[in-house]
Amino acid sequence: MARPNTKPVTLALLVLALLLAGVGYFGVGAGRQFAADRSFRPVRVPSPTAAPPGVAALLSAASAPPTQSRPAANPPVPTAAGVAAALAGPLGDPELGSSVAGQVFDARTGALLFDRRSQDSVAPASTAKLLTAAAVLSVYAPTDRFSTRVVAGAEPGTVVLVGGGDPTLSAAPAGQAPRYAGAARITDLASRVRTALHGVEVQQVVVDGSAFTGPGAAPGWDPVDTPSAYASLITAAMVDAGRDRADDEIRSAEPDLAAGNALADALGGASVSLGSAPPDGAVLGQVHSAPVDVLVEQMMRSSDNVIAEVLARQVAIATHRPASFAGAAEAVRAVLADAGIDIGTGMVDGSGLSVQDRIPAAALAGTLLASLGAEHSRLRPLLSGLSIAGWDGTLLDEDRFSGPAAIAAGMVRAKTGTLTGVSGMAGLLTDADGRLLVFSFVADQAPSEGPSRIAVDNLVAALVRCGCR
């Protein structure tokens, strides 16, 4: 079963990416993804208070190609008839299959320019991460961080690692950069514990993951998903987004114990088990995650399923719901409903990895439109986390925006979604007249992965090529 791909995030890695493509797992090499994660730098575009920025402004903030053209000051408005005419040919591509849903909006006015089955529930694949990103940014400030604590255990020589839902806590050894930029480090946590213990030897590390509840895998996840290169079981304590070691390709079969083992190693060796922290255990050390806006960008840029699921649970915690798959889905649904975005009742996870996920296609474009407005400006990291066509993230690949669709390179910023039978994309683009458009397309009965992704690229490229008047 095909699963969402992850790609590098800077042009400097392009040559490395091409060299590693042949050793990929679902098309992506371990070294390639590790280098992508290590090289990530957040964009952190400021929130606007007036008109939304054009794609070019966002690209500029991301150190985009210098040839990127800027939108005109007052470009003409496309017409619905013009957009429909531009999309008619690409929509007829048999590689899209029999079920295509989508919308196109003018970003400046919010005018609907195209609608096809937008109220129908479709399988979103990884475009669902737009919804998780919007929800977590709605309930946390961009600068908020998640903490991981170590407290004294009930017995002498025992310490308890209390997972707080930090997905990128790093097990990288001292002197080695963490896999994820800005990540808290187990080595720092261990140093603080040693200082607090005044030389007392740690013989036992207990891992308390009670911040999260329910099963570690969602309904609709395939057994091969956990562990894999793109997913692990979801636990409150983990290191390096569910890996045993920072440079591993395949994620851990027991991410909570992997976190405990990393702490035990940093403390000089101790046995590790699962358990609970005593209610009155003294705090021996604490570290804090990267800020929420950075975690969102990391999740979006490489389409990281594990980070997405942990962030969805953080939405559940913030809204006083069980931090489980079901609780997280309900929390995301409720938070977005407060923002006027209806995602229906068909979401079962926060990443889009489940084949059971269903949402109205309108929720995707609606989320992007909300993030452009001043009323929901706190959602802005969602936009700066979108990949740039032909430049970074999941839109940098050998078959993306190539051939006739190459005209869209640098003109599109979007989130992709790919599962077996599903190809989708939602984002922003600048048309031939310099008008900023918001779009979403999902083909959830696509006959094949590669050709259907190209067909979706062609839909988007048709809008870039068109003045659509």
Side-chain angles (χ1 to χ4, degrees), residues 19-415:
L19 289 174
L20 291 172
V23 295
Y25 187 86
F26 294 119
V28 184
R32 178 179 178 180
Q33 185 56 46
F34 180 58
D37 292 334
R38 284 279 298 275
S39 68
F40 170 86
R41 294 297 179 270
V43 176
R44 310 184 86 167
V45 175
S47 299
T49 57
V55 172
L58 292 174
L59 300 184
S60 177
S63 300
T67 56
Q68 168 65 35
S69 62
R70 295 187 177 276
N74 188 27
V77 182
T79 65
V83 170
L87 294 177
L91 281 170
D93 190 332
E95 293 297 342
L96 291 173
S98 60
S99 173
V100 182
Q103 289 183 310
V104 180
F105 288 88
D106 176 60
R108 181 173 298 183
T109 65
L112 178 63
L113 301 174
F114 176 83
D115 189 289
R116 178 165 176 169
R117 299 181 49 237
S118 67
Q119 300 305 315
D120 290 358
S121 292
V122 295
S126 279
T127 61
K129 293 181 176 71
L130 289 166
L131 311 179
T132 296
V136 75
L137 290 167
S138 295
V139 295
Y140 292 99
T143 54
D144 283 345
R145 300 169 185 260
F146 306 119
S147 63
T148 303
R149 297 179 294 127
V150 173
V151 303
E155 302 295 331
T158 298
V159 299
V160 184
L161 176 65
V162 182
D166 175 2
T168 64
L169 176 67
S170 181
Q176 177 180 309
R179 181 176 187 121
Y180 296 93
R185 303 178 68 107
I186 282 284
T187 52
D188 291 340
L189 188 56
S191 177
R192 291 163 192 172
V193 170
R194 284 194 298 269
T195 298
L197 290 176
H198 303 291
V200 174
E201 181 181 359
V202 176
Q203 299 175 333
Q204 173 80 14
V205 172
V206 175
V207 181
D208 182 343
S210 59
F212 290 176
T213 63
W221 283 17
D222 193 286
V224 303
D225 292 336
T226 55
S228 65
Y230 52 85
S232 73
L233 297 175
I234 305 305
T235 54
M238 62 172 58
V239 287
D240 300 295
R243 295 175 173 86
D244 289 312
R245 290 166 296 275
D247 57 353
D248 283 352
E249 174 186 12
I250 303 300
R251 308 201 193 203
S252 177
E254 298 176 308
D256 44 7
L257 288 177
N261 287 329
L263 179 61
D265 290 346
L267 290 171
S271 61
V272 179
S273 63
L274 301 179
S276 300
D280 56 351
V283 177
L284 304 175
Q286 186 169 220
V287 292
H288 303 280
S289 72
V292 164
D293 62 349
V294 173
L295 293 174
V296 166
E297 286 194 31
Q298 289 170 328
M299 178 263 288
M300 293 281 288
R301 200 76 55 80
S302 62
S303 199
D304 194 299
N305 296 309
V306 173
I307 298 177
E309 298 300 347
V310 173
L311 291 181
R313 278 167 165 72
Q314 294 291 3
V315 179
I317 290 171
T319 58
H320 310 291
R321 290 175 169 85
S324 61
F325 281 104
E330 173 56 33
V332 169
R333 180 163 46 251
V335 168
L336 294 184
D338 288 343
I341 302 165
D342 178 13
I343 70 168
T345 60
M347 284 295 294
V348 300
D349 66 10
S351 64
L353 182 60
S354 174
V355 297
Q356 295 183 20
D357 283 325
R358 294 293 184 275
I359 64 163
L364 300 174
T367 299
L368 290 162
L369 278 173
S371 69
L372 286 167
E375 181 181 357
H376 301 290
S377 61
R378 65 187 299 160
L379 305 186
R380 187 47 38 95
L382 179 156
L383 297 178
S384 50
L386 297 174
S387 298
I388 304 167
W391 181 250
D392 71 357
T394 58
L395 288 183
L396 178 63
D397 197 9
E398 294 76 13
D399 66 344
R400 299 309 311 236
F401 291 102
S402 58
I407 190 174
M411 305 299 289
V412 176
R413 191 155 195 155
K415 181 71 196 77

